Amino acid sequence: MCRLLGYLGQPVLLDDLIVKPDNSLLRQTTEARMLSMLNLAGFGLAGWDDATADPHLPLTFHSTQVAVLDPNLRALARKLKVRALVAHLRGVPLDGSAVINQQNLHPFVMPGSPLVLAHNGDLAHFSQMRFALVEHLKPEIAARLSASTDSAWLHALVLSQLDDPAGPFTSDEIHRATERALAIVRRVREAAGIHKSSSVNLILSDGRNIVATRFTYDFGCFETPPAQGGIEFLSQWYTLGDHYGYADGEWKMTRGSGKATLVASEPLTRDVSTWVEVPEYSALLVDDANDRPRRRIVPLEV
Amino acid sequence: MGDHPQGAEGKRTVVIGEDLNDLLASIPLFAGLDPSAIAELGLAADRFSAAAGEQLFRQDDAADGVYLIASGEVVLTARMPGDREVDLARIRNGELLGEFCLLDGGRRSAEATALEPTLGYRIDLARFAALRTSERPAAIEVLARLRGEVARRTRATVEVISASLDAMAAPRPAPAAPPPAGEVETGDCAHFLQSFPGFDGLSQASWSELAGLVTKSVAVRGTRLETPGKPVSGLHIVARGALRAGLPVGDGVEQLLIHGPGAIAGAAGFIDGGDWPLALDVRENAIVFTLDARDLAVLCSAPTPLAFKLFDLIGQQLTRDLRRISRTRARRESQFADRLEVT
């Protein structure tokens, strides 16, 4: 079912975000605290570092290796500092039905666009929806779509709702594009008679903004036996502060002018008291305009 | 009983060991209980002491019991994002700390630290649970009183949020028109509810009793089940879909709670009584089993195993809902709210 992580703020060593915390993203490969599922189907990240070439475009890493066992990922994490990040652990059913390949790893990246997307959840009966979505994709976006999954198509759908996928964007523009994409999916589901609970927790970022959704179509409408995501709203948490690091015996954001935002499927620390849940049917918008971050909780009523 | 010497600032000093039952009887939660019931609760209590600056428990710790303060003072604080702390309350002689854990055995919602040397008693959660399982009158009465207290605090918290809405709210619009009706899953309440936590332990006899009390309904998105400003009509057990409880704002609603499958909606309004400020709407096409207020009153008067179980579940739901609404309030009021806009 996947785990997500997003970060926007002062540059932080990747190791401190995905490896070291006591409930780090890598640990969630096999020991997620808020998901009763293993996340073994690969890992991906998109990170922004102003010292790299084309700093407005992310550095990306995708691997189908089990993340916690991947030595290349750990080596990269010990060296790379990022000021923005979207990272994703992929979890799939263990019945052999999922296609495990590089193309299906999140976050999805489209050449020429800085906007990436990672997804926690799944669109039920997506195979019945796929071709009805084609008309809503810009031809140049459809031409570059190489992955087959619902998540990849969500990314393409969001990009197609933007005036110019190359950006730059405001957080409002990303949010409106996401809302329009979700509305399109809602209409296609209804036309196809699909009423099964389908979670769409997303983290989108262009390196300057984050939009994190906590949303489910037809929440509570599941087929027996009840599954997580059908009877529990998938979680999405965030925390704010000035500096993220190890202090007073724990990993946490410390107080200050609040320049940094962390958003994740579940808190990175066993002590969750400094984390807050994104409300159900809502989105967290974070923008970094003029070095003074603005964060908003907005309803998602699609 | 003996005299109670006055300490500094006129504070009553309780002699540990001699006055436990007097202390219990003086606390509103236990006032009026039969002396034998008080004594029963006392047997579930252990002494504790804390030095100035010592933590009794941390936020998000698993709860271990209820603290009765006999002397000293404890401060309750909540941690917020940015590692900020918000003082919530000061607990002094003759007051309780962490009592809601008796309802749901959940995790601590705040941190408790002794401000000065503090003495008292801790009613152990496991021993109290044994009293409850044995259906001891003391435990049953205490839980009923606690449910009332949680419902009262929920109302108070909702009213605080309501008062802040003018400055901060962006109400959610009325839900979109419902989709065309599809096939509706058939079955009785046992079929739908038995796989949910809490309901999974009901006996066949209890299921039969519940089936005779509830009314099953299929409600489409946007249907209003409870009108704000009126007494709640009953409890709504969600089998499929979801309900939303919220404060009406203009043409929309400020969302406070989402009740998914297995949840019992309307608990605080029913227990608290009177006009309830929240609307309860169908957020996702739902199958709901409703217990109306009259049938619940019958259950109260002739307690059966179903009644005990149901009121246990109501107590757990009440506490979960209060925690969630309290976190919503804290998020809106905390110092960083000026940098986290609720639109």
Side-chain angles (χ1 to χ4, degrees), chain B residues 272-330:
Chain B
D272 189 62
D275 297 340
W276 191 246
L278 298 183
L280 186 67
D281 300 317
V282 180
R283 179 56 182 83
E284 306 285 2
N285 291 347
I287 296 174
V288 176
F289 290 92
T290 298
L291 271 157
D292 76 21
R294 288 167 301 177
D295 289 329
L296 278 164
V298 168
L299 268 181
C300 286
S301 63
T304 60
L306 172 67
F308 283 120
K309 185 62 179 175
L310 198 56
F311 279 97
D312 270 353
L313 293 176
I314 290 170
Q316 291 167 27
Q317 184 75 56
L318 278 170
T319 314
R320 271 197 302 275
D321 290 351
L322 177 58
R323 290 188 210 282
R324 287 163 62 190
I325 291 176
S326 297
R327 285 200 296 269
T328 297
R329 175 189 167 184

Side-chain angles (χ1 to χ4, degrees), chain B residues 53 71 107 127 188 205 223 227 292 311 313:
Chain B
S71 66
R107 308 195 79 84
R127 275 186 265 164
D188 62 7
T223 305
T227 304
D292 76 21
F311 279 97
L313 293 176

Side-chain angles (χ1 to χ4, degrees), chain A residues 157-288:
Chain A
L157 210 52
V158 172
L159 289 177
S160 299
Q161 309 312 308
L162 293 162
D163 290 340
D164 181 3
F169 314 111
T170 64
S171 57
D172 285 305
E173 287 169 337
I174 299 171
H175 170 241
R176 281 195 294 270
T178 304
E179 237 184 359
R180 284 195 287 268
L182 293 178
I184 290 168
V185 170
R186 166 79 74 187
R187 290 196 297 272
V188 168
R189 280 170 59 93
E190 290 179 2
I194 299 170
H195 302 294
K196 184 182 172 189
S197 181
S198 297
S199 301
V200 190
N201 281 15
L202 304 173
I203 295 181
L204 299 98
S205 183
D206 61 349
R208 290 291 174 201
N209 304 277
I210 284 180
V211 171
T213 69
R214 188 175 179 211
F215 182 82
T216 303
Y217 293 105
D218 298 297
F219 171 56
C221 304
F222 55 85
E223 296 155 9
T224 54
Q228 204 166 7
I231 61 171
E232 297 165 27
F233 221 99
L234 286 185
S235 58
Q236 188 88 291
W237 295 73
Y238 64 92
T239 187
L240 319 172
D242 185 47
H243 171 73
Y244 176 75
Y246 191 74
D248 303 323
E250 59 182 313
W251 287 92
K252 59 183 177 182
M253 288 280 209
T254 50
R255 69 170 71 193
S257 55
K259 288 185 177 179
T261 310
L262 257 176
V263 56
S265 299
E266 51 187 88
L268 302 184
T269 53
R270 295 194 193 285
D271 181 348
V272 306
S273 57
T274 57
W275 290 70
V276 182
E277 289 182 271
V278 178
E280 301 93 337
Y281 302 106
S282 299
L284 170 69
L285 275 58
V286 186
D287 56 63
D288 205 12

Side-chain angles (χ1 to χ4, degrees), chain A residues 18-38:
Chain A
I18 70 169
V19 180
K20 287 183 178 171
D22 44 63
N23 192 41
S24 70
L25 199 59
L26 254 61
R27 185 180 288 272
Q28 293 171 38
T29 306
T30 56
E31 296 177 72
R33 296 182 69 205
M34 297 184 179
L35 184 72
S36 52
M37 189 170 173
L38 302 176

